[in-house]
Amino acid sequence: MAKLLEITQLGDPILRTKAEHVDDIQDNLIQRLIDDLIYTVGVVNGVGIAAPQLSESLRIFIMASHPNPRYPEAPLMDPIAIINPGIISYSDDINKDWEGCLSIPGMRGLVPRSNTIFVEYITREGKKEERMYEDFLARIFQHEFDHLNGMVFLDRIDSVKNLITDQEYFKLIS
Ligand code: ZN
């Protein structure tokens, strides 16, 4: 039975720690962690969550895109676990868009990201995948990938002036 676990908040050193490679994906504890991540991101209606946000310093994150006020065209997908990921290449075309983070509540930042990335990762079944992500999914992937390297979106903004409160963000998108 998956559990709702507390999400680590900015200031917790685990969010600033490089996460460890996952050796045995079939281990029950790893599979249970994946279930907990999927359950938690669903309860909070997020589009992604990384293992360090549930206090586990492991190279696992979940992508769980769904349409939302900011991205009505965002793809609806069953949540997928991305394990031991790598970003093989980044497009030169960069776009800036607003990001939030479950570990940094109440704030949004205008974050530059590559529009297209080519990635590799292992699925929770242990299968190696290589694929391209674009637009919103590429943004989620890059945001969550940063969490595995001890980075948060605040590290990516060009200026603190590109940081706003949720209250102002919801005015912008309404
Ligand atoms: Zn985040």
Side-chain angles (χ1 to χ4, degrees):
M1 185 76 177
K3 292 187 303 253
L4 180 62
L5 299 170
E6 197 176 329
I7 296 172
T8 53
Q9 301 289 289
L10 186 68
D12 188 322
I14 203 165
L15 292 174
R16 293 318 203 162
T17 303
K18 186 173 157 73
E20 304 276 338
H21 183 270
V22 180
D23 292 325
D24 182 5
I25 292 170
Q26 297 314 318
D27 185 293
N28 280 340
L29 290 175
I30 297 296
Q31 291 290 325
R32 191 178 308 163
L33 171 61
I34 292 168
D35 290 338
D36 289 342
L37 285 162
I38 290 173
Y39 180 72
T40 304
V41 78
V43 169
V44 299
N45 202 30
V47 295
I49 191 171
Q53 294 181 281
L54 291 189
S55 299
E56 295 289 347
S57 198
L58 291 165
R59 302 189 77 76
I60 304 173
F61 63 77
I62 306 298
M63 290 175 70
S65 169
H66 51 81
N68 56 74
R70 176 67 186 168
Y71 300 99
E73 309 300 318
L76 177 63
M77 63 192 287
D78 286 332
I80 55 166
I82 306 282
I83 303 161
N84 296 333
I87 301 181
I88 297 163
S89 65
Y90 295 84
S91 65
D92 291 333
D93 56 312
I94 306 284
N95 58 45
K96 289 187 188 177
D97 215 333
W98 296 102
E99 292 183 19
C101 180
L102 298 172
S103 295
I104 309 170
M107 303 297 289
R108 306 278 164 160
L110 193 57
V111 184
R113 301 278 189 194
S114 285
N115 196 42
T116 308
I117 51 174
F118 192 70
V119 306
E120 61 181 3
Y121 61 91
I122 312 293
T123 68
R124 73 181 298 175
E125 291 79 29
K127 185 165 168 278
K128 183 171 179 178
E129 296 278 353
E130 287 189 349
R131 60 165 297 173
M132 196 181 78
Y133 281 115
E134 291 180 293
D135 303 324
F136 187 58
L137 294 181
R139 181 169 293 278
I140 298 174
F141 196 106
Q142 290 169 85
H143 177 116
E144 301 308 332
F145 186 75
D146 277 351
H147 276 304
L148 306 186
N149 293 323
M151 291 185 72
V152 296
F153 78 81
L154 300 174
D155 304 320
R156 297 283 188 190
I157 60 177
D158 296 326
S159 158
V160 177
K161 290 177 181 167
N162 289 335
L163 200 56
I164 64 174
T165 64
D166 265 353
Q167 183 175 315
E168 292 300 314
Y169 170 74
F170 288 118
K171 279 188 210 165
L172 272 183
I173 65 167
S174 61

